[in-house]
Amino acid sequence: MPPSQDKDTVSYDLIVLGSGIAGLAAAAAAQKDGKSVLVIDKGERLGGRISARQKGRLTFNHGAQFFTARGKKFATVLAEAKHAGNLKDWQISPNKIVQIGTPSMLNFPQFMALDIDIRQHIEITNISHLGSDIAFFSNTDLIAKGRQAIITAPAAQSALLLNDIYPKLAETAQLATYDPCWTVMLNLDKSIELSNESYDGAYPLRDEAAGIGFAVPEQIRFARGSLEQDIQTVALTIQASGAWSRQYLQEDPKFITMQLLGLWANLKGHSRPTVLSATTHRWLYAKVTDAADIDAPRQSNDGQLAIAGDWLSGPRVEQAFDSGLQAYQSLFKPR
Ligand SMILES: Cc1cc2nc3c(=O)[nH]c(=O)nc-3n(C[C@H](O)[C@H](O)[C@H](O)COP(=O)(O)OP(=O)(O)OC[C@H]3O[C@@H](n4cnc5c(N)ncnc54)[C@H](O)[C@@H]3O)c2cc1C
């Protein structure tokens, strides 16, 4: 449904801040119910912490690594995305099959975002009441306004935005904590042998005690039969554990790259491979360690604004998804 107009700017039924999974879940539910909805996000691409980068012919999945569903609602969306060709199975250990985006993790948020009005590259710096609406500003520019709003930025960023307008919700956000995550994306030459043989039974490396949260040559995600054409060079993504990332949070990216590559090579029993190129990304708010108190308020007393995000329930994509749906229901379908 199109938003209603007034002399200054259109007014939406719902404005959602954040095009991560929490925001997309809320926006998709609103869209399905025929509401006018706009999503605003400061990032280059939608998806938030579900992300991928292209370096020449190589793709690095440098945010969330895979999806799992315990509840029916998220399982249903995963099944729909899989049916549409955006997800596939991936065996990450002898006993565990998970879902990954194909060709990259970004395909899942892109699937969820179909038909939703989204504006990327806009950082919201202030939220305030404007008449009976909630208005979103970037510095002094009015970006959009809506009768109701859902805020899904990570907790610290939500707290800053909500402090003046809804201080009780800002307090809820101040209770949540995260681990950071240093991630390195390496293009290595073929001095590490990734032959078909070594792929058999190859799983991502996870050794939290040694400092590695998750490390995977991206080619492992492909079907084994297609390896020959995929291994001209190796695209290795290494994510440090939370404790390691915290310890080295302020270090130089070059130091981080060499340390993590050294740890990885050591654990795999390789000599240190030649690095053709390297990029690092420091996620300051990666995985939730303490979610906000279950009894803390998640919706404003006037019923105009709700908060969502993994930090309200836990460290997985599914929990972000559920929180987005719950925020939408609390505003539009209160019990
Ligand atoms: C390295 C890493 C690995 C992970 N691995 C897994 C995994 O394997 N499986 C799993 O289930 N989960 C994993 N997670 C966790 C998972 O990615 C998150 O729980 C989930 O994606 C969070 O979704 P969200 O919508 O709550 O937040 P986000 O995805 O962070 O979305 C919030 C959005 O708000 C936007 N925003 C913030 N402030 C503003 C502002 N002022 N103006 C405009 N926009 C703003 C941001 O740009 C962002 O897009 C991982 C996370 C990381 C970082």
Side-chain angles (χ1 to χ4, degrees), residues 21-22 41-42 48-49 63-66 122 124 157 239 309-310 317:
I21 288 304
D41 195 288
K42 68 179 180 183
R49 276 171 275 161
Q65 293 296 322
F66 55 83
I122 299 176
I124 297 302
Q157 294 160 7
Q239 296 183 321
D310 56 356
V317 173

Side-chain angles (χ1 to χ4, degrees), residues 7-26:
K7 71 178 173 45
D8 294 316
T9 175
V10 297
S11 178
Y12 289 82
D13 292 328
L14 176 67
I15 306 270
V16 177
L17 184 144
S19 64
I21 288 304
L24 292 176

Side-chain angles (χ1 to χ4, degrees), residues 8-9 11 29 51 57 67 100 109 111 128 138 171 204 206 221 230 233 257 262 264 311 316 319 334:
D8 294 316
T9 175
S11 178
S51 200
R57 292 180 58 209
F67 306 108
I100 52 170
F111 169 79
S128 56
S138 188
E171 274 173 33
R206 306 166 88 172
R221 295 173 192 265
D230 291 328
T233 60
T257 301
W264 178 84
W311 52 275
R316 291 179 304 113
Q319 288 160 312

